[in-house]
Amino acid sequence: MRLKGRNKVSPEFSMSSMTDIVFLLLVFFMLTSNSPNALDLLLPKAKGKSTNTQNVAVSIKKNLEIYIDSDRIREGQIEAKLKAKLAGQSEPTIILRAEEGVPIEKAVNIMDIANRNKYKIILAVRPQ
């Protein structure tokens, strides 16, 4: 009587399918990773809380007047005044308050100055 089966079980493992999965995951994470050139913006929630980290407030009115805290300044003086006010701060932070109707280029100009000088910037919103 012959009890031995005809089918042999192979204990070998093929790594090709595992390699394909790891490669696909690598491609996925590379595509979804953040760009290192993005601006570091801290956007508060509209229902949010106020923060105590305010160092300097930059306000842009609808008529394009620019204020640092309560001092009115010209557009060419923004970077120099911000450097003077934020000198010596451990975590320099700017709160940007742009009135409705202000062209986006004016707000982006302030964000660019903050990015160049490694300042954090918070965009102020109206609470709901």
Side-chain angles (χ1 to χ4, degrees):
M1 194 148 102
R2 206 170 128 187
L3 297 173
K4 198 169 189 179
R6 292 182 189 168
N7 297 335
K8 255 190 177 180
V9 176
S10 174
E12 296 174 12
F13 179 72
S14 174
M15 287 293 292
S16 64
S17 60
M18 186 66 75
T19 306
D20 292 343
I21 291 172
V22 170
F23 178 72
L24 288 174
L25 285 173
L26 175 69
V27 170
F28 174 75
F29 286 122
M30 285 177 60
L31 291 175
T32 59
S33 67
N34 289 339
S35 169
N37 296 332
L39 291 174
D40 186 20
L41 298 179
L42 303 172
L43 298 177
K45 295 180 182 175
K47 296 179 185 175
K49 304 173 184 176
S50 63
T51 61
N52 293 331
T53 60
Q54 176 179 352
N55 291 335
V56 174
V58 177
S59 304
I60 306 173
K61 289 190 157 192
K62 202 180 271 191
N63 59 1
L64 304 182
E65 293 177 353
I66 300 173
Y67 293 86
I68 293 183
D69 290 333
S70 59
D71 305 322
R72 185 175 174 195
I73 60 163
R74 285 181 277 138
E75 193 167 349
Q77 300 174 325
I78 297 171
E79 190 163 5
K81 295 281 186 182
L82 285 175
K83 282 182 179 179
K85 286 208 175 233
L86 294 172
Q89 298 286 337
S90 60
E91 284 191 21
T93 305
I94 299 170
I95 294 188
L96 177 59
R97 293 187 174 104
E99 199 172 12
E100 276 186 60
V102 171
I104 192 70
E105 293 85 10
K106 300 298 180 185
V108 169
N109 184 28
I110 305 297
M111 291 177 192
D112 187 42
I113 291 170
N115 187 38
R116 276 196 310 258
N117 294 293
K118 307 283 191 254
Y119 301 148
K120 289 185 180 179
I121 187 161
I122 300 173
L123 181 62
V125 295
R126 186 176 20 183
Q128 289 183 347

